[in-house]
Amino acid sequence: MLTSRLSLRLVRHARRSYRVLALESSCDDSCVALLEKQTPAGRPIVVDHYKSTLSSAAAGGIIPTAAQVFHNYTIGGLVDKMATTYNFDQNPPDLICVTKGPGMAGSLTASIQLAKGLALAWKVPLVGVHHMLGHLLTPQLDVDVKYPFLSLLCSGGHTMLVYSKSVGHHEVIINTMDIAVGDSLDKCAREIGFYGNQLAREMEKYIRNNPWPAETTATVTEPPIDLALGLPMKGPKYLRFPDKIEFTFASFLSRVQTTLKRHPDAIDEKQRQYMAHHIQNMAFDHIIDRINVALMIHGTNKKLCPTADGKFDGVIDIVCSGGVAANKSLRHKLSHNLKFRETLGHEPTFHFPPLDLCTDNAIMIGLAGIGQFEKLRIMSDMSMVARPKWPINELMDESWVHVDDATYDKVTKYNS
Ligand code: AMP
Ligand code: ZN
């Protein structure tokens, strides 16, 4: 399961300082990673990682109880493989990191219980990690992302724009009021005849192989089916600069379903081609449109928005992560259509993690766990339980155990 990009980073015989075993099973991926940290200021190195994904194609979506059984069945074997390969008998990891939330309760608990057992057996500290912090910090494996920065997290379970001032301080600027963009695209794709796992990804491949002709004034293409998706939350009944900015993706799905009801016969290839293109395009245009509203409200240009509060002043970096951030069309729209220069006076620097790190993985959990342990000095104890709903702005609002100097020194071994 190693990809070529990640395998380049594998370090099997590097000088050892301290090693971190990370477990992630918040949704349908069972993941285990081993990271190594050699110096206080250095970036963690990925020693190895494994991932196994539940197949939900036949079920038509992820069933939480099936995911829980899958993780209970799988995660122990992945840890055992890592333990054998890296000789944990003689040389156990120094820190265990495990996703505490958000996610599905049963899925999270499968790894949490195993992580507690390992921490007890090896007598090493345990860190319950915030899954979204993992997505936010992923680019830091390769580069320094400077605070404050913005992150667009768009996956099967989340779609949000987050403003981060430091490792422990995050504010959700836009959230979805219904379902996530990945969920919506997956379900729309299923409606128009795609089959399998991660249907939004399959739909992107299909669109690239079957592009709908771009419209110009010379060639206006008549849609082959009456699906007309507008940009949500636009129009006279909506405030241009609302108090609360939100995404909505459920309306795309219901429009697709009602259109298909009007056409009970199976759609033909041209209609599918148009629908796939139109659905993906409008969902991404909606993301761009809402981020532009946030940029105007929190930018510094009072001509564009008289009440602009300047909160985003100083933001240069934008992280785009989560499974949907792998989409090339979304990346193109973000790079070309955001009003960054107009609202903040300069162009942003985008950070798109490598495709294999955009989706859920345990590497990001190890990375975020190291951040929580070293920078925030917070860890967990044996009373840790899953927190299925856990807004990232409430990261510090937990009964954390303080990492004292003795524990820090015992784990980090930087001077040994
Ligand atoms: P995650 O929830 O982060 O594991 O990501 C899974 C979601 O990302 C699913 O909804 C996938 O269909 C979606 N996804 C993965 N790759 C792509 C892609 N290239 N384009 C659009 N969506 C994608
Ligand atoms: Zn995720």
Side-chain angles (χ1 to χ4, degrees):
M1 283 151 223
L2 295 176
T3 65
S4 54
R5 185 161 192 310
L6 277 169
S7 57
L8 287 178
R9 289 197 264 195
L10 299 185
V11 175
R12 283 172 197 267
H13 305 291
R15 183 176 62 85
R16 173 170 185 216
S17 235
Y18 83 97
R19 294 201 299 185
V20 176
L21 182 71
L23 278 62
E24 148 69 32
S25 64
S26 59
C27 188
D28 59 344
D29 297 303
S30 273
C31 317
V32 176
L34 184 64
L35 276 69
E36 189 163 291
K37 185 99 182 332
Q38 295 176 351
T39 60
R43 297 193 182 100
I45 290 163
V46 179
V47 179
D48 211 344
H49 79 125
Y50 311 133
K51 174 166 167 173
S52 181
T53 303
L54 170 70
S55 173
S56 304
I62 301 165
I63 299 171
T65 46
Q68 179 182 359
V69 171
F70 172 74
H71 294 308
N72 280 322
Y73 182 82
T74 313
I75 195 85
L78 296 181
V79 171
D80 191 33
K81 183 174 157 193
M82 193 72 86
T84 308
T85 311
Y86 295 96
N87 196 19
F88 288 176
D89 270 359
Q90 307 293 321
N91 204 358
D94 306 282
L95 184 68
I96 313 284
C97 298
V98 62
T99 309
K100 175 178 165 67
M104 297 192 284
S107 292
L108 291 163
T109 303
S111 283
I112 290 175
Q113 292 304 98
L114 178 55
K116 282 185 186 178
L118 294 171
L120 278 177
W122 290 327
K123 296 189 173 48
V124 296
L126 175 68
V127 182
V129 177
H130 197 292
H131 179 87
M132 302 315 279
L133 185 67
H135 279 305
L136 291 177
L137 297 185
T138 299
Q140 318 252 9
L141 261 184
D142 288 322
V143 290
D144 283 334
V145 179
K146 301 224 164 39
Y147 294 98
F149 65 84
L150 291 173
S151 301
L152 174 65
L153 304 175
C154 41
S155 66
H158 303 275
T159 313
M160 56 176 76
L161 183 76
V162 180
Y163 169 71
S164 300
K165 261 183 23 187
S166 65
V167 188
H169 182 135
H170 310 272
E171 187 182 338
V172 178
I173 302 290
I174 317 178
N175 208 342
T176 178
M177 60 186 275
D178 39 56
I179 57 175
V181 61
D183 192 16
S184 174
L185 290 175
D186 286 347
K187 287 179 173 149
C188 287
R190 189 176 307 281
E191 292 288 339
I192 64 172
F194 289 84
Y195 177 82
N197 269 325
Q198 307 237 2
L199 295 184
R201 185 179 61 195
E202 297 310 310
M203 191 158 75
E204 184 200 20
K205 279 190 215 149
Y206 172 85
I207 293 167
R208 256 191 283 131
N209 294 332
N210 303 273
W212 187 252
E215 287 190 353
T216 67
T217 41
T219 62
V220 177
T221 324
E222 185 66 30
I225 189 165
D226 51 345
L227 173 69
L229 302 172
L231 281 181
M233 296 162 173
K234 299 286 268 193
K237 68 175 188 168
Y238 293 99
L239 287 175
R240 190 161 171 236
F241 301 119
D243 292 339
K244 188 174 180 193
I245 319 170
E246 288 179 302
F247 294 122
T248 170
F249 298 99
S251 60
F252 293 110
L253 177 60
S254 54
R255 282 286 183 88
V256 168
Q257 286 168 333
T258 46
T259 303
L260 291 174
K261 272 202 196 111
R262 286 199 297 273
H263 298 269
D265 298 336
I267 55 171
D268 65 26
E269 208 47 44
K270 194 156 185 212
Q271 290 170 324
R272 184 180 347 273
Q273 189 186 349
Y274 168 74
M275 289 178 92
H277 161 88
H278 190 46
I279 294 162
Q280 182 183 275
N281 212 25
M282 292 312 292
F284 294 164
D285 281 352
H286 172 53
I287 291 177
I288 301 291
D289 175 61
R290 291 297 93 186
I291 298 177
N292 278 337
V293 171
L295 286 170
M296 285 191 269
I297 292 176
H298 300 301
T300 52
N301 188 338
K302 296 238 181 231
K303 281 190 194 139
L304 277 180
C305 174
T307 53
D309 63 15
K311 179 188 289 212
F312 292 170
D313 198 13
V315 169
I316 295 173
D317 294 286
I318 304 188
V319 172
C320 304
S321 198
V324 183
N327 189 289
K328 295 212 168 54
S329 164
L330 177 61
R331 291 180 176 206
H332 185 269
K333 281 179 191 285
L334 287 165
S335 305
H336 291 83
N337 300 349
L338 285 187
K339 291 185 195 299
F340 214 88
R341 175 170 284 286
E342 295 89 323
T343 53
L344 288 164
H346 54 85
E347 294 299 335
T349 302
F350 286 95
H351 301 277
F352 297 106
L355 301 189
D356 43 357
L357 293 183
C358 268
T359 47
D360 290 349
N361 62 84
I363 296 171
M364 69 180 196
I365 299 306
L367 188 66
I370 290 169
Q372 291 182 212
F373 185 83
E374 282 199 17
K375 300 228 168 66
L376 301 176
R377 294 283 192 121
I378 53 175
M379 61 181 195
S380 311
D381 61 19
M382 288 300 136
S383 67
M384 177 181 32
V385 288
R387 188 162 166 190
K389 291 199 189 316
W390 188 11
I392 187 140
N393 42 312
E394 293 176 17
L395 174 66
M396 299 307 288
D397 167 30
E398 270 291 314
S399 50
W400 294 112
V401 177
H402 174 67
V403 177
D404 58 27
D405 289 349
T407 309
Y408 181 89
D409 291 344
K410 182 171 168 248
V411 168
T412 57
K413 298 178 184 158
Y414 286 132
N415 299 322
S416 63

